[in-house]
mmCIF file of all heavy atoms in Angstrom:
data_model
loop_
_atom_site.group_PDB
_atom_site.id
_atom_site.type_symbol
_atom_site.label_atom_id
_atom_site.label_comp_id
_atom_site.label_asym_id
_atom_site.label_seq_id
_atom_site.Cartn_x
_atom_site.Cartn_y
_atom_site.Cartn_z
ATOM 1 N N PRO A 265 -9.310 11.300 -5.263
ATOM 2 C CA PRO A 265 -10.454 11.153 -6.234
ATOM 3 C C PRO A 265 -9.959 10.495 -7.536
ATOM 4 O O PRO A 265 -8.768 10.599 -7.890
ATOM 5 C CB PRO A 265 -10.959 12.604 -6.413
ATOM 6 C CG PRO A 265 -9.797 13.452 -6.119
ATOM 7 C CD PRO A 265 -8.982 12.758 -5.027
ATOM 8 N N ALA A 266 -10.909 9.874 -8.245
ATOM 9 C CA ALA A 266 -10.587 9.310 -9.576
ATOM 10 C C ALA A 266 -10.026 10.416 -10.375
ATOM 11 O O ALA A 266 -10.448 11.566 -10.398
ATOM 12 C CB ALA A 266 -11.809 8.706 -10.168
ATOM 13 N N GLY A 267 -8.998 10.023 -11.203
ATOM 14 C CA GLY A 267 -8.331 11.038 -12.033
ATOM 15 C C GLY A 267 -7.047 11.563 -11.389
ATOM 16 O O GLY A 267 -6.248 12.227 -12.054
ATOM 17 N N CYS A 268 -6.823 11.204 -10.125
ATOM 18 C CA CYS A 268 -5.650 11.610 -9.399
ATOM 19 C C CYS A 268 -4.810 10.423 -9.026
ATOM 20 O O CYS A 268 -4.295 10.263 -7.915
ATOM 21 C CB CYS A 268 -6.003 12.431 -8.138
ATOM 22 S SG CYS A 268 -6.883 13.958 -8.473
ATOM 23 N N GLU A 269 -4.657 9.486 -9.989
ATOM 24 C CA GLU A 269 -3.953 8.256 -9.704
ATOM 25 C C GLU A 269 -2.460 8.495 -9.440
ATOM 26 O O GLU A 269 -1.888 7.813 -8.604
ATOM 27 C CB GLU A 269 -4.057 7.287 -10.931
ATOM 28 C CG GLU A 269 -5.423 6.537 -10.974
ATOM 29 C CD GLU A 269 -6.544 7.452 -11.489
ATOM 30 O OE1 GLU A 269 -6.256 8.545 -11.976
ATOM 31 O OE2 GLU A 269 -7.687 6.943 -11.376
ATOM 32 N N ARG A 270 -1.845 9.431 -10.146
ATOM 33 C CA ARG A 270 -0.452 9.671 -9.957
ATOM 34 C C ARG A 270 -0.186 10.628 -8.792
ATOM 35 O O ARG A 270 -0.837 11.706 -8.688
ATOM 36 C CB ARG A 270 0.179 10.261 -11.225
ATOM 37 C CG ARG A 270 1.684 10.268 -11.183
ATOM 38 C CD ARG A 270 2.316 10.263 -12.547
ATOM 39 N NE ARG A 270 3.779 10.157 -12.446
ATOM 40 C CZ ARG A 270 4.572 11.190 -12.553
ATOM 41 N NH1 ARG A 270 4.128 12.379 -12.884
ATOM 42 N NH2 ARG A 270 5.899 10.982 -12.429
ATOM 43 N N LEU A 271 0.860 10.281 -8.017
ATOM 44 C CA LEU A 271 1.248 11.144 -6.939
ATOM 45 C C LEU A 271 1.924 12.422 -7.488
ATOM 46 O O LEU A 271 2.588 12.392 -8.569
ATOM 47 C CB LEU A 271 2.202 10.500 -5.964
ATOM 48 C CG LEU A 271 1.602 9.340 -5.134
ATOM 49 C CD1 LEU A 271 2.660 8.477 -4.587
ATOM 50 C CD2 LEU A 271 0.742 9.978 -4.041
ATOM 51 N N ASP A 272 1.892 13.527 -6.779
ATOM 52 C CA ASP A 272 2.538 14.738 -7.231
ATOM 53 C C ASP A 272 4.106 14.604 -7.095
ATOM 54 O O ASP A 272 4.851 15.307 -7.826
ATOM 55 C CB ASP A 272 2.083 15.962 -6.416
ATOM 56 C CG ASP A 272 0.675 16.298 -6.651
ATOM 57 O OD1 ASP A 272 0.139 15.987 -7.795
ATOM 58 O OD2 ASP A 272 -0.017 16.813 -5.792
ATOM 59 N N THR A 273 4.572 13.792 -6.152
ATOM 60 C CA THR A 273 5.979 13.646 -5.987
ATOM 61 C C THR A 273 6.572 12.794 -7.115
ATOM 62 O O THR A 273 5.902 12.143 -7.866
ATOM 63 C CB THR A 273 6.277 12.956 -4.646
ATOM 64 O OG1 THR A 273 5.500 11.723 -4.606
ATOM 65 C CG2 THR A 273 5.889 13.810 -3.512
ATOM 66 N N LEU A 274 7.900 12.852 -7.232
ATOM 67 C CA LEU A 274 8.592 12.161 -8.305
ATOM 68 C C LEU A 274 8.324 10.620 -8.267
ATOM 69 O O LEU A 274 8.060 10.040 -9.270
ATOM 70 C CB LEU A 274 10.074 12.421 -8.235
ATOM 71 C CG LEU A 274 10.948 11.937 -9.376
ATOM 72 C CD1 LEU A 274 10.584 12.645 -10.685
ATOM 73 C CD2 LEU A 274 12.411 12.162 -9.114
ATOM 74 N N THR A 275 8.367 10.082 -7.071
ATOM 75 C CA THR A 275 8.054 8.678 -6.904
ATOM 76 C C THR A 275 7.363 8.499 -5.587
ATOM 77 O O THR A 275 7.365 9.427 -4.735
ATOM 78 C CB THR A 275 9.393 7.759 -6.825
ATOM 79 O OG1 THR A 275 10.123 8.132 -5.665
ATOM 80 C CG2 THR A 275 10.263 8.019 -8.046
ATOM 81 N N VAL A 276 6.819 7.335 -5.331
ATOM 82 C CA VAL A 276 6.119 7.102 -4.096
ATOM 83 C C VAL A 276 7.070 7.182 -2.916
ATOM 84 O O VAL A 276 6.627 7.521 -1.793
ATOM 85 C CB VAL A 276 5.435 5.707 -4.136
ATOM 86 C CG1 VAL A 276 6.466 4.575 -4.054
ATOM 87 C CG2 VAL A 276 4.414 5.566 -3.001
ATOM 88 N N GLN A 277 8.377 6.988 -3.129
ATOM 89 C CA GLN A 277 9.334 7.121 -2.056
ATOM 90 C C GLN A 277 9.324 8.552 -1.486
ATOM 91 O O GLN A 277 9.720 8.785 -0.299
ATOM 92 C CB GLN A 277 10.748 6.801 -2.542
ATOM 93 C CG GLN A 277 10.902 5.298 -2.780
ATOM 94 C CD GLN A 277 12.256 4.962 -3.418
ATOM 95 O OE1 GLN A 277 12.662 5.633 -4.378
ATOM 96 N NE2 GLN A 277 12.909 3.940 -2.967
ATOM 97 N N GLY A 278 8.882 9.522 -2.257
ATOM 98 C CA GLY A 278 8.871 10.887 -1.777
ATOM 99 C C GLY A 278 7.847 11.130 -0.679
ATOM 100 O O GLY A 278 7.915 12.176 -0.014
ATOM 101 N N VAL A 279 6.904 10.190 -0.461
ATOM 102 C CA VAL A 279 5.941 10.381 0.574
ATOM 103 C C VAL A 279 6.140 9.426 1.742
ATOM 104 O O VAL A 279 5.436 9.499 2.763
ATOM 105 C CB VAL A 279 4.456 10.195 0.106
ATOM 106 C CG1 VAL A 279 4.209 11.177 -1.023
ATOM 107 C CG2 VAL A 279 4.236 8.768 -0.385
ATOM 108 N N TRP A 280 7.156 8.528 1.712
ATOM 109 C CA TRP A 280 7.388 7.564 2.823
ATOM 110 C C TRP A 280 7.773 8.394 4.058
ATOM 111 O O TRP A 280 8.625 9.312 3.962
ATOM 112 C CB TRP A 280 8.519 6.675 2.455
ATOM 113 C CG TRP A 280 8.202 5.632 1.410
ATOM 114 C CD1 TRP A 280 7.153 5.651 0.510
ATOM 115 C CD2 TRP A 280 8.948 4.462 1.098
ATOM 116 N NE1 TRP A 280 7.199 4.528 -0.246
ATOM 117 C CE2 TRP A 280 8.294 3.780 0.098
ATOM 118 C CE3 TRP A 280 10.137 3.913 1.671
ATOM 119 C CZ2 TRP A 280 8.758 2.594 -0.427
ATOM 120 C CZ3 TRP A 280 10.561 2.707 1.131
ATOM 121 C CH2 TRP A 280 9.899 2.075 0.124
ATOM 122 N N SER A 281 7.211 8.006 5.160
ATOM 123 C CA SER A 281 7.571 8.616 6.437
ATOM 124 C C SER A 281 7.185 7.721 7.579
ATOM 125 O O SER A 281 6.047 7.250 7.625
ATOM 126 C CB SER A 281 6.922 9.978 6.526
ATOM 127 O OG SER A 281 7.130 10.532 7.858
ATOM 128 N N ASN A 282 8.037 7.603 8.551
ATOM 129 C CA ASN A 282 7.674 6.825 9.778
ATOM 130 C C ASN A 282 6.610 7.523 10.583
ATOM 131 O O ASN A 282 6.046 6.978 11.503
ATOM 132 C CB ASN A 282 8.935 6.579 10.623
ATOM 133 C CG ASN A 282 9.823 5.507 10.008
ATOM 134 O OD1 ASN A 282 9.382 4.686 9.206
ATOM 135 N ND2 ASN A 282 11.098 5.541 10.331
ATOM 136 N N SER A 283 6.394 8.852 10.289
ATOM 137 C CA SER A 283 5.355 9.557 10.979
ATOM 138 C C SER A 283 3.943 9.184 10.488
ATOM 139 O O SER A 283 2.917 9.565 11.154
ATOM 140 C CB SER A 283 5.553 11.078 10.786
ATOM 141 O OG SER A 283 5.349 11.465 9.460
ATOM 142 N N HIS A 284 3.865 8.413 9.439
ATOM 143 C CA HIS A 284 2.592 7.955 8.883
ATOM 144 C C HIS A 284 2.069 6.813 9.735
ATOM 145 O O HIS A 284 2.104 5.645 9.389
ATOM 146 C CB HIS A 284 2.667 7.542 7.430
ATOM 147 C CG HIS A 284 2.941 8.701 6.498
ATOM 148 N ND1 HIS A 284 3.312 8.518 5.189
ATOM 149 C CD2 HIS A 284 2.825 10.035 6.694
ATOM 150 C CE1 HIS A 284 3.443 9.680 4.623
ATOM 151 N NE2 HIS A 284 3.171 10.635 5.511
ATOM 152 N N TRP A 285 1.558 7.143 10.937
ATOM 153 C CA TRP A 285 1.149 6.148 11.909
ATOM 154 C C TRP A 285 0.130 6.769 12.869
ATOM 155 O O TRP A 285 0.259 7.974 13.180
ATOM 156 C CB TRP A 285 2.365 5.646 12.651
ATOM 157 C CG TRP A 285 2.042 4.492 13.568
ATOM 158 C CD1 TRP A 285 1.905 4.505 14.935
ATOM 159 C CD2 TRP A 285 1.930 3.144 13.175
ATOM 160 N NE1 TRP A 285 1.523 3.266 15.388
ATOM 161 C CE2 TRP A 285 1.577 2.410 14.289
ATOM 162 C CE3 TRP A 285 2.006 2.462 11.973
ATOM 163 C CZ2 TRP A 285 1.364 1.057 14.298
ATOM 164 C CZ3 TRP A 285 1.806 1.121 11.906
ATOM 165 C CH2 TRP A 285 1.466 0.383 13.059
ATOM 166 N N PRO A 286 -0.880 6.071 13.329
ATOM 167 C CA PRO A 286 -1.215 4.703 12.980
ATOM 168 C C PRO A 286 -1.907 4.611 11.643
ATOM 169 O O PRO A 286 -2.299 5.585 11.020
ATOM 170 C CB PRO A 286 -2.173 4.351 14.118
ATOM 171 C CG PRO A 286 -2.840 5.637 14.422
ATOM 172 C CD PRO A 286 -1.787 6.661 14.324
ATOM 173 N N PRO A 287 -2.082 3.351 11.117
ATOM 174 C CA PRO A 287 -2.698 3.159 9.839
ATOM 175 C C PRO A 287 -4.026 3.854 9.608
ATOM 176 O O PRO A 287 -4.293 4.465 8.613
ATOM 177 C CB PRO A 287 -2.747 1.649 9.707
ATOM 178 C CG PRO A 287 -1.696 1.109 10.583
ATOM 179 C CD PRO A 287 -1.651 2.064 11.726
ATOM 180 N N GLU A 288 -4.854 3.762 10.630
ATOM 181 C CA GLU A 288 -6.229 4.252 10.507
ATOM 182 C C GLU A 288 -6.263 5.764 10.341
ATOM 183 O O GLU A 288 -7.296 6.380 9.958
ATOM 184 C CB GLU A 288 -7.120 3.890 11.709
ATOM 185 C CG GLU A 288 -7.162 2.391 11.914
ATOM 186 C CD GLU A 288 -6.219 1.970 13.002
ATOM 187 O OE1 GLU A 288 -5.039 2.436 13.003
ATOM 188 O OE2 GLU A 288 -6.599 1.197 13.888
ATOM 189 N N ALA A 289 -5.188 6.505 10.671
ATOM 190 C CA ALA A 289 -5.106 7.916 10.677
ATOM 191 C C ALA A 289 -4.650 8.495 9.295
ATOM 192 O O ALA A 289 -4.535 9.714 9.095
ATOM 193 C CB ALA A 289 -4.210 8.504 11.769
ATOM 194 N N GLN A 290 -4.332 7.562 8.371
ATOM 195 C CA GLN A 290 -3.782 8.041 7.067
ATOM 196 C C GLN A 290 -4.873 8.437 6.139
ATOM 197 O O GLN A 290 -6.084 8.255 6.331
ATOM 198 C CB GLN A 290 -2.948 6.880 6.468
ATOM 199 C CG GLN A 290 -1.821 6.373 7.326
ATOM 200 C CD GLN A 290 -0.977 7.540 7.899
ATOM 201 O OE1 GLN A 290 -0.494 8.401 7.142
ATOM 202 N NE2 GLN A 290 -0.971 7.687 9.224
ATOM 203 N N LYS A 291 -4.458 9.059 5.009
ATOM 204 C CA LYS A 291 -5.422 9.591 3.996
ATOM 205 C C LYS A 291 -4.668 9.630 2.682
ATOM 206 O O LYS A 291 -3.462 9.307 2.598
ATOM 207 C CB LYS A 291 -5.909 10.961 4.391
ATOM 208 C CG LYS A 291 -4.801 12.042 4.546
ATOM 209 C CD LYS A 291 -5.466 13.320 4.986
ATOM 210 C CE LYS A 291 -4.330 14.404 5.103
ATOM 211 N NZ LYS A 291 -4.905 15.725 5.497
ATOM 212 N N ASP A 292 -5.385 10.083 1.646
ATOM 213 C CA ASP A 292 -4.793 10.289 0.316
ATOM 214 C C ASP A 292 -4.271 9.004 -0.359
ATOM 215 O O ASP A 292 -3.204 9.019 -0.954
ATOM 216 C CB ASP A 292 -3.665 11.338 0.361
ATOM 217 C CG ASP A 292 -4.126 12.695 0.769
ATOM 218 O OD1 ASP A 292 -5.297 13.076 0.435
ATOM 219 O OD2 ASP A 292 -3.382 13.464 1.436
ATOM 220 N N TYR A 293 -4.991 7.936 -0.148
ATOM 221 C CA TYR A 293 -4.556 6.710 -0.777
ATOM 222 C C TYR A 293 -5.032 6.669 -2.240
ATOM 223 O O TYR A 293 -5.721 7.520 -2.649
ATOM 224 C CB TYR A 293 -5.078 5.439 -0.002
ATOM 225 C CG TYR A 293 -4.194 5.120 1.150
ATOM 226 C CD1 TYR A 293 -3.231 5.987 1.664
ATOM 227 C CD2 TYR A 293 -4.207 3.793 1.697
ATOM 228 C CE1 TYR A 293 -2.398 5.671 2.687
ATOM 229 C CE2 TYR A 293 -3.339 3.476 2.742
ATOM 230 C CZ TYR A 293 -2.468 4.397 3.228
ATOM 231 O OH TYR A 293 -1.612 4.034 4.275
ATOM 232 N N TYR A 294 -4.536 5.597 -2.927
ATOM 233 C CA TYR A 294 -4.876 5.466 -4.359
ATOM 234 C C TYR A 294 -6.405 5.482 -4.557
ATOM 235 O O TYR A 294 -7.104 4.898 -3.701
ATOM 236 C CB TYR A 294 -4.195 4.213 -4.892
ATOM 237 C CG TYR A 294 -4.068 4.086 -6.350
ATOM 238 C CD1 TYR A 294 -3.241 4.882 -7.108
ATOM 239 C CD2 TYR A 294 -4.892 3.123 -7.057
ATOM 240 C CE1 TYR A 294 -3.135 4.772 -8.424
ATOM 241 C CE2 TYR A 294 -4.693 2.977 -8.421
ATOM 242 C CZ TYR A 294 -3.815 3.779 -9.157
ATOM 243 O OH TYR A 294 -3.713 3.719 -10.488
ATOM 244 N N PRO A 295 -6.885 5.935 -5.686
ATOM 245 C CA PRO A 295 -8.375 6.005 -5.903
ATOM 246 C C PRO A 295 -9.015 4.637 -5.865
ATOM 247 O O PRO A 295 -10.160 4.530 -5.406
ATOM 248 C CB PRO A 295 -8.491 6.671 -7.271
ATOM 249 C CG PRO A 295 -7.268 7.483 -7.447
ATOM 250 C CD PRO A 295 -6.171 6.754 -6.757
ATOM 251 N N GLU A 296 -8.298 3.611 -6.316
ATOM 252 C CA GLU A 296 -8.832 2.270 -6.291
ATOM 253 C C GLU A 296 -7.971 1.363 -5.458
ATOM 254 O O GLU A 296 -6.819 1.078 -5.758
ATOM 255 C CB GLU A 296 -8.944 1.667 -7.721
ATOM 256 C CG GLU A 296 -9.573 0.306 -7.816
ATOM 257 C CD GLU A 296 -11.049 0.351 -7.467
ATOM 258 O OE1 GLU A 296 -11.787 1.274 -7.954
ATOM 259 O OE2 GLU A 296 -11.503 -0.549 -6.707
ATOM 260 N N VAL A 297 -8.507 0.907 -4.295
ATOM 261 C CA VAL A 297 -7.746 0.072 -3.368
ATOM 262 C C VAL A 297 -8.529 -1.256 -3.263
ATOM 263 O O VAL A 297 -9.593 -1.313 -2.645
ATOM 264 C CB VAL A 297 -7.578 0.697 -1.957
ATOM 265 C CG1 VAL A 297 -6.893 -0.274 -1.048
ATOM 266 C CG2 VAL A 297 -6.823 1.998 -2.104
ATOM 267 N N ASN A 298 -8.012 -2.343 -3.854
ATOM 268 C CA ASN A 298 -8.678 -3.617 -3.767
ATOM 269 C C ASN A 298 -7.716 -4.762 -3.598
ATOM 270 O O ASN A 298 -8.156 -5.946 -3.604
ATOM 271 C CB ASN A 298 -9.559 -3.838 -5.018
ATOM 272 C CG ASN A 298 -8.803 -3.677 -6.327
ATOM 273 O OD1 ASN A 298 -7.597 -3.973 -6.376
ATOM 274 N ND2 ASN A 298 -9.526 -3.207 -7.349
ATOM 275 N N ASN A 299 -6.421 -4.545 -3.463
ATOM 276 C CA ASN A 299 -5.487 -5.601 -3.097
ATOM 277 C C ASN A 299 -5.498 -5.894 -1.589
ATOM 278 O O ASN A 299 -5.688 -4.939 -0.765
ATOM 279 C CB ASN A 299 -4.087 -5.255 -3.548
ATOM 280 C CG ASN A 299 -3.736 -5.872 -4.878
ATOM 281 O OD1 ASN A 299 -4.111 -6.967 -5.201
ATOM 282 N ND2 ASN A 299 -2.872 -5.116 -5.629
ATOM 283 N N GLU A 300 -5.344 -7.106 -1.216
ATOM 284 C CA GLU A 300 -5.307 -7.491 0.199
ATOM 285 C C GLU A 300 -4.080 -6.871 0.893
ATOM 286 O O GLU A 300 -2.997 -6.831 0.317
ATOM 287 C CB GLU A 300 -5.296 -8.979 0.367
ATOM 288 C CG GLU A 300 -6.554 -9.704 -0.143
ATOM 289 C CD GLU A 300 -6.576 -9.984 -1.635
ATOM 290 O OE1 GLU A 300 -5.613 -9.599 -2.327
ATOM 291 O OE2 GLU A 300 -7.642 -10.470 -2.127
ATOM 292 N N ASP A 301 -4.290 -6.430 2.124
ATOM 293 C CA ASP A 301 -3.185 -5.934 2.896
ATOM 294 C C ASP A 301 -2.688 -6.977 3.902
ATOM 295 O O ASP A 301 -1.753 -6.774 4.684
ATOM 296 C CB ASP A 301 -3.419 -4.635 3.547
ATOM 297 C CG ASP A 301 -4.766 -4.669 4.415
ATOM 298 O OD1 ASP A 301 -5.198 -5.769 4.807
ATOM 299 O OD2 ASP A 301 -5.308 -3.536 4.736
ATOM 300 N N LEU A 302 -3.389 -8.162 3.932
ATOM 301 C CA LEU A 302 -3.004 -9.226 4.797
ATOM 302 C C LEU A 302 -3.153 -10.540 3.969
ATOM 303 O O LEU A 302 -4.262 -10.843 3.512
ATOM 304 C CB LEU A 302 -3.918 -9.293 5.997
ATOM 305 C CG LEU A 302 -3.696 -10.353 7.075
ATOM 306 C CD1 LEU A 302 -2.315 -10.170 7.706
ATOM 307 C CD2 LEU A 302 -4.762 -10.271 8.164
ATOM 308 N N ASN A 303 -2.087 -11.301 3.799
ATOM 309 C CA ASN A 303 -2.119 -12.502 2.976
ATOM 310 C C ASN A 303 -1.414 -13.694 3.690
ATOM 311 O O ASN A 303 -0.360 -13.478 4.313
ATOM 312 C CB ASN A 303 -1.357 -12.285 1.657
ATOM 313 C CG ASN A 303 -2.043 -11.343 0.704
ATOM 314 O OD1 ASN A 303 -3.034 -11.589 0.167
ATOM 315 N ND2 ASN A 303 -1.398 -10.139 0.445
ATOM 316 N N MET A 304 -2.041 -14.827 3.624
ATOM 317 C CA MET A 304 -1.425 -16.018 4.239
ATOM 318 C C MET A 304 -1.685 -17.222 3.282
ATOM 319 O O MET A 304 -2.808 -17.511 3.001
ATOM 320 C CB MET A 304 -2.035 -16.290 5.653
ATOM 321 C CG MET A 304 -1.733 -15.231 6.622
ATOM 322 S SD MET A 304 -2.533 -15.514 8.240
ATOM 323 C CE MET A 304 -4.124 -14.802 7.984
ATOM 324 N N ILE A 305 -0.605 -17.844 2.864
ATOM 325 C CA ILE A 305 -0.787 -18.946 1.915
ATOM 326 C C ILE A 305 0.023 -20.166 2.429
ATOM 327 O O ILE A 305 1.129 -20.030 2.986
ATOM 328 C CB ILE A 305 -0.365 -18.658 0.463
ATOM 329 C CG1 ILE A 305 1.090 -18.150 0.368
ATOM 330 C CG2 ILE A 305 -1.358 -17.601 -0.132
ATOM 331 C CD1 ILE A 305 1.536 -17.929 -1.083
ATOM 332 N N ASN A 306 -0.535 -21.333 2.135
ATOM 333 C CA ASN A 306 0.132 -22.623 2.434
ATOM 334 C C ASN A 306 0.557 -23.225 1.062
ATOM 335 O O ASN A 306 -0.251 -23.237 0.154
ATOM 336 C CB ASN A 306 -0.798 -23.543 3.179
ATOM 337 C CG ASN A 306 -1.237 -22.996 4.485
ATOM 338 O OD1 ASN A 306 -0.395 -22.620 5.285
ATOM 339 N ND2 ASN A 306 -2.568 -23.018 4.724
ATOM 340 N N LEU A 307 1.798 -23.772 1.034
ATOM 341 C CA LEU A 307 2.335 -24.278 -0.164
ATOM 342 C C LEU A 307 2.747 -25.753 -0.009
ATOM 343 O O LEU A 307 3.416 -26.100 0.936
ATOM 344 C CB LEU A 307 3.547 -23.452 -0.621
ATOM 345 C CG LEU A 307 3.313 -21.964 -0.812
ATOM 346 C CD1 LEU A 307 4.651 -21.224 -0.854
ATOM 347 C CD2 LEU A 307 2.594 -21.761 -2.162
ATOM 348 N N GLN A 308 2.355 -26.544 -0.974
ATOM 349 C CA GLN A 308 2.817 -27.965 -1.031
ATOM 350 C C GLN A 308 3.826 -28.035 -2.139
ATOM 351 O O GLN A 308 3.488 -27.743 -3.321
ATOM 352 C CB GLN A 308 1.669 -28.931 -1.313
ATOM 353 C CG GLN A 308 2.134 -30.390 -1.452
ATOM 354 C CD GLN A 308 2.771 -30.917 -0.165
ATOM 355 O OE1 GLN A 308 2.093 -31.009 0.839
ATOM 356 N NE2 GLN A 308 4.052 -31.292 -0.220
ATOM 357 N N LEU A 309 5.052 -28.392 -1.808
ATOM 358 C CA LEU A 309 6.105 -28.445 -2.849
ATOM 359 C C LEU A 309 6.219 -29.857 -3.418
ATOM 360 O O LEU A 309 5.768 -30.836 -2.857
ATOM 361 C CB LEU A 309 7.456 -28.020 -2.269
ATOM 362 C CG LEU A 309 7.682 -26.503 -2.204
ATOM 363 C CD1 LEU A 309 6.663 -25.784 -1.390
ATOM 364 C CD2 LEU A 309 9.118 -26.168 -1.768
ATOM 365 N N ALA A 310 6.772 -29.931 -4.640
ATOM 366 C CA ALA A 310 6.844 -31.173 -5.368
ATOM 367 C C ALA A 310 7.641 -32.239 -4.630
ATOM 368 O O ALA A 310 7.354 -33.404 -4.817
ATOM 369 C CB ALA A 310 7.423 -30.891 -6.761
ATOM 370 N N ASN A 311 8.673 -31.865 -3.849
ATOM 371 C CA ASN A 311 9.480 -32.839 -3.176
ATOM 372 C C ASN A 311 8.969 -33.221 -1.764
ATOM 373 O O ASN A 311 9.697 -33.837 -1.017
ATOM 374 C CB ASN A 311 10.955 -32.358 -3.075
ATOM 375 C CG ASN A 311 11.139 -31.096 -2.296
ATOM 376 O OD1 ASN A 311 10.082 -30.492 -1.845
ATOM 377 N ND2 ASN A 311 12.335 -30.677 -2.074
ATOM 378 N N GLY A 312 7.789 -32.746 -1.447
ATOM 379 C CA GLY A 312 7.198 -33.089 -0.187
ATOM 380 C C GLY A 312 7.312 -32.026 0.940
ATOM 381 O O GLY A 312 6.638 -32.083 1.933
#
């Protein structure tokens, strides 16, 4: 919920676990989630 932005653990590394799978089964994410989790960009460089 809003107001609970900070995790209780010392750092986010404290909650990392390979058991957090599959993605759809997870919970307790940040109150505001609006960054893309899938990004694809094409780049044209100056030298061609």
